[in-house]
Amino acid sequence: MHRRVVLVLSLLLAVVAASLPGVGSARADSALVSARSAVFGAHNVDQTTGAVRDDRVIFSWFGVSSFAVAMAGKVFLTDAWVPNAYHDQVPTTRAQIAAIKPSHILIGHGHFDHAADASDIAKASGARLVGSAAHCAFFRRAGVACDAVVAAGARPGSTQIYRGVPGITITAMSNIHSTLKAPTGQHPPLLPLPPSDRLITDPPHADELGRLAGHLNDPEGGAVLYAFSVGGRRIVWNDSAGPVSQDPGGRAILAGLRDLGPVDLHVGAIQGFNEITNGLGDPLRYIDALRPRIFVPNHHDDWFPVIATPAVNRERAFFDALKTIDARPEVRYLRDPEDYLRPDRVTLSLR
């Protein structure tokens, strides 16, 4: 009799628990499992719950400086723009990126090629934005929650700790955006040539260009570099490399980067306005200061007609420039479009 009572009570408790949100079954909806499997690889995603394995750091590139990141099981984005001005150049969509349910979107700066999809993805996914005070003022007007980690008027190189992602210590550094400066003669000029043949074979979408027209005047809002400390690993991501050897704030930024390094992984922008006169000198100074074990380039792909070129057209110049620094990292050079959504290209073990 006692066993029957226990059995009945157990069944009743199971029914009640299953009816409560977030209690009982650990199954996730199929859309989450499908989206995360497409972005992070099915082998990295629990096919029952949708959880991403917690013993990895995974950066899955979806164009320019935008990455879907899984870090110790936490899922977030760095920047948020899916550059599909050309038809299906990147094998994902705003809807699919929102469907991976990122908890946060870290904004490096506010230009359209970095943040044009941030509001839409945040609203669709419930993600919280993180950025400078100026970024947050802009996004809050669009009705999106945002945490400011760089105060208005912050000095270049100044830092603030952000603990909004449990288990990960995030250091936000006030950075400077790439800027055209007079030639110094240290690195040869680099022009984004030749343009992509997609201009002829796959003309840009008029609808997408029209949508982006509304974002062309989105404010930069300052630049922010993010450093992560998790599971004994140090990781840095930045979506712009400023002229730190020529800008008055550059010395403080370099000092701050040296304090952050050496790092296990540096995912850094290598395209910038200053390459026209000073080649790849600016991003090389970031690499030299951080002393990464592994370097992964970003913002070097064919992200927009005429003003960008495929990553392979910058590859030789990058490796030639890398020879000018002493501590040369292992380079995982990403090439477009074949390395979009290839998470195993940028994966680190945490155990």
Side-chain angles (χ1 to χ4, degrees):
M1 182 68 178
H2 176 72
R3 290 182 180 178
R4 289 181 183 178
V5 171
V6 171
L7 178 60
V8 170
L9 287 175
S10 297
L11 290 172
L12 285 173
L13 287 172
V15 170
V16 172
S19 69
L20 295 175
V23 179
S25 173
R27 289 193 64 85
D29 63 86
S30 59
L32 177 68
V33 174
S34 176
R36 287 189 170 180
S37 295
V39 172
F40 293 115
H43 58 293
N44 289 318
V45 177
D46 187 304
Q47 296 299 298
T48 299
T49 67
V52 184
R53 58 188 300 172
D54 61 6
D55 62 345
R56 294 284 187 272
V57 170
I58 304 170
F59 277 73
S60 185
W61 187 37
F62 61 95
V64 197
S65 300
S66 295
F67 290 84
V69 182
M71 195 173 285
K74 308 300 190 300
V75 173
F76 57 91
L77 306 181
T78 56
D79 279 351
W81 181 50
V82 183
N84 273 330
Y86 297 120
H87 180 68
D88 294 335
Q89 176 168 343
V90 181
T92 190
T93 63
R94 291 185 291 277
Q96 187 178 62
I97 295 300
I100 70 172
K101 297 296 182 184
S103 64
H104 295 74
I105 302 173
L106 277 56
I107 300 297
H109 68 278
H111 289 155
F112 81 91
D113 51 319
H114 299 268
D117 294 331
S119 291
D120 289 344
I121 292 174
K123 289 176 180 177
S125 66
R128 191 173 191 89
L129 269 65
V130 179
S132 71
H135 299 151
C136 286
F138 177 78
F139 287 116
R140 286 169 186 154
R141 289 196 293 271
V144 180
C146 185
D147 293 331
V149 289
V150 171
R155 294 179 296 102
S158 60
T159 60
Q160 180 173 323
I161 301 296
Y162 180 69
R163 301 188 187 277
V165 183
I168 304 172
T169 300
I170 301 175
T171 301
M173 174 184 286
S174 179
N175 192 19
I176 52 176
H177 192 275
S178 68
T179 307
L180 186 66
K181 293 287 186 178
T184 62
Q186 293 175 299
H187 293 270
L190 179 63
L191 298 177
L193 295 172
S196 172
D197 60 6
R198 281 180 173 267
L199 284 170
I200 298 172
T201 63
D202 183 17
H205 284 200
D207 289 348
E208 183 66 8
L209 293 179
R211 192 187 77 85
L212 289 174
H215 290 280
L216 294 181
N217 291 323
D218 287 358
E220 174 200 306
V224 185
L225 174 148
Y226 295 90
F228 310 89
S229 180
V230 59
R233 298 287 197 178
R234 291 185 178 186
I235 299 146
V236 164
W237 169 86
N238 62 288
D239 70 354
S240 192
V244 287
S245 65
Q246 297 167 290
D247 188 279
R251 181 175 296 181
I253 290 174
L254 288 173
L257 295 176
R258 293 187 190 101
D259 287 342
L260 292 173
V263 299
D264 295 285
L265 173 66
H266 175 197
V267 183
I270 65 172
Q271 182 190 26
F273 292 121
N274 207 24
E275 67 183 17
I276 297 173
T277 56
N278 287 298
L280 294 166
D282 293 341
L284 262 292
R285 289 182 177 88
Y286 282 68
I287 297 169
D288 195 36
L290 283 167
R291 306 180 304 286
R293 182 172 64 86
I294 298 170
F295 178 75
V296 177
N298 69 59
H299 205 333
H300 65 311
D301 51 331
D302 192 16
W303 53 272
F304 203 74
V306 180
I307 60 176
T309 186
V312 293
N313 293 337
R314 191 176 269 100
E315 187 169 355
R316 181 174 178 178
F318 172 76
F319 280 100
D320 285 346
L322 194 65
K323 296 174 184 176
T324 65
I325 63 175
D326 293 329
R328 298 171 199 167
E330 172 193 338
V331 176
R332 297 184 187 175
Y333 197 89
L334 301 180
R335 301 170 186 87
D336 56 312
E338 58 264 37
D339 285 332
Y340 292 138
L341 295 197
R342 284 190 61 197
D344 291 347
R345 293 284 287 124
V346 190
T347 297
L348 291 178
S349 173
L350 290 179
R351 295 177 185 168

